[in-house]
Amino acid sequence: MNKKKILLIGSNGFFGKNLYKKLKTKFFVKRANRKTNIFKLNFNNFDYIINCAAEVYNENLMFKNNTNLVYKIVEKYLLDKSSAKIIHFGSSGEYGRYGKPTAETDVLKPTTSYEATKGAATIILQGLSRNFKIPCIIFRPYSIYGPMENASRLIPTIFRHFLYDEKLTIYNGYHDFVYIDDIANVIFKICKKWIKIGYGEIINLGSGKQY
C-alpha cells in the first residue's frame, strides 16, 4: 500500500523536528523550512499539509512567518486546486490573558505581537477554509515541552539552574503543560484517519490540568 504523503512546513523548529521523527515511521514526509519556496512545490502531491512554522522571538519577522505565510499556503493550495487536508498549529497564546482555563469559544484578546499574529493567521485560515471548502483543522496547543525545545523556555531553564547551582526567580502563574510526544501522537492518528469535522475547526490541545 502506498504511503500517505505529508508536507511538513516548519520542519526545522521544535514542533517540526519532533513531528518528523514520529511521522516518518509510517508516512512519506517532505520537509519545508524558511529557505523553501512553497510555490515551487506541487500541493497535489500531498495528502496532508501540516504547518507548524512560527516566529516566537523576533518581532520583526512575526507577521511574515506567522500570518502572511498562512495566506501564502492557502494561495498556493487554491492555485494547485489541491485536495490535501490542512493541519495548522496556532497557539493557546491567541486567547491572551484570561486568568482562567480557556475554551475554543472564547474571544481572542492578544496582548503581544506573537499572540496577535498567530490569532490573525487563525482567522484568515478559518475564513478561507469555510469560503473555499478546504478541509482544515486548527490546533491551539498549550505549553509544550520536550526534546529540542528552546533553551530559554521554563523547563530547560529550571534544569540549567540546577546544573549550575544558580538562583532562579519563579513568578506566580499557571500553565497547562503537554509533552511533545503526546502532540505528535495526536497528529499521527489524524493522518492515519482524518476526522470529519467542520472547515477551520479549532481544537485546543492540552492536558486539562494547570500547574
Side-chain angles (χ1 to χ4, degrees):
M1 187 171 70
N2 292 332
K3 288 184 177 181
K4 290 182 179 178
K5 298 179 176 63
I6 297 172
L7 174 61
L8 182 62
I9 300 173
S11 61
N12 282 351
F14 167 49
F15 278 26
K17 288 177 180 177
N18 283 281
L19 287 179
Y20 177 72
K21 181 181 176 182
K22 177 70 177 181
L23 294 172
K24 71 176 183 178
T25 61
K26 290 292 183 181
F27 306 99
F28 170 82
V29 183
K30 168 70 176 178
R31 290 181 284 181
N33 55 45
R34 291 182 183 179
K35 295 181 179 180
T36 305
N37 184 347
I38 62 171
F39 283 90
K40 291 185 177 180
L41 302 173
N42 186 347
F43 279 20
N44 282 308
N45 291 337
F46 304 102
D47 300 290
Y48 293 95
I49 297 168
I50 301 175
N51 178 38
C52 55
E55 177 55 58
V56 182
Y57 304 103
N58 187 339
E59 291 208 20
N60 294 326
L61 297 176
M62 285 181 185
F63 179 77
K64 175 184 176 182
N65 295 334
N66 295 345
T67 309
N68 195 43
L69 173 62
V70 171
Y71 182 82
K72 287 184 176 180
I73 289 170
V74 178
E75 184 182 14
K76 175 60 173 169
Y77 183 99
L78 295 173
L79 186 66
D80 287 350
K81 297 181 179 179
S82 175
S83 60
K85 298 168 179 66
I86 294 178
I87 298 172
H88 171 71
F89 278 95
S91 168
S92 61
E94 296 172 38
Y95 294 114
R97 307 293 181 267
Y98 261 85
K100 68 176 184 64
T102 46
E104 290 86 347
T105 53
D106 284 330
V107 175
L108 303 188
K109 299 178 181 180
T111 59
T112 67
S113 298
Y114 172 74
E115 294 167 358
T117 52
K118 291 295 285 185
T122 291
I123 292 170
I124 289 169
L125 184 55
Q126 254 193 334
L128 294 175
S129 174
R130 291 167 179 169
N131 187 32
F132 295 104
K133 300 297 184 287
I134 299 170
C136 170
I137 298 176
I138 299 165
F139 286 116
R140 283 183 179 148
Y142 286 77
S143 296
I144 300 179
Y145 69 97
M148 297 178 279
E149 70 176 312
N150 191 284
S152 67
R153 293 179 65 82
L154 178 62
I155 292 177
T157 299
I158 290 173
F159 274 93
R160 190 166 59 252
H161 280 73
F162 279 142
L163 287 171
Y164 295 104
D165 194 26
E166 295 175 351
K167 184 180 290 187
L168 175 64
T169 302
I170 302 292
Y171 298 93
N172 289 331
Y174 295 89
H175 280 271
D176 181 335
F177 289 98
V178 192
Y179 190 53
I180 185 63
D181 283 3
D182 294 329
I183 300 295
N185 286 336
V186 170
I187 304 306
F188 183 86
K189 289 179 180 179
I190 286 176
C191 290
K192 284 188 69 177
K193 186 177 181 180
W194 180 256
I195 301 171
K196 291 184 179 179
I197 55 178
Y199 300 106
E201 184 80 12
I202 294 173
I203 301 175
N204 289 345
L205 285 181
S207 67
K209 298 179 180 179
Q210 291 188 317
Y211 298 91

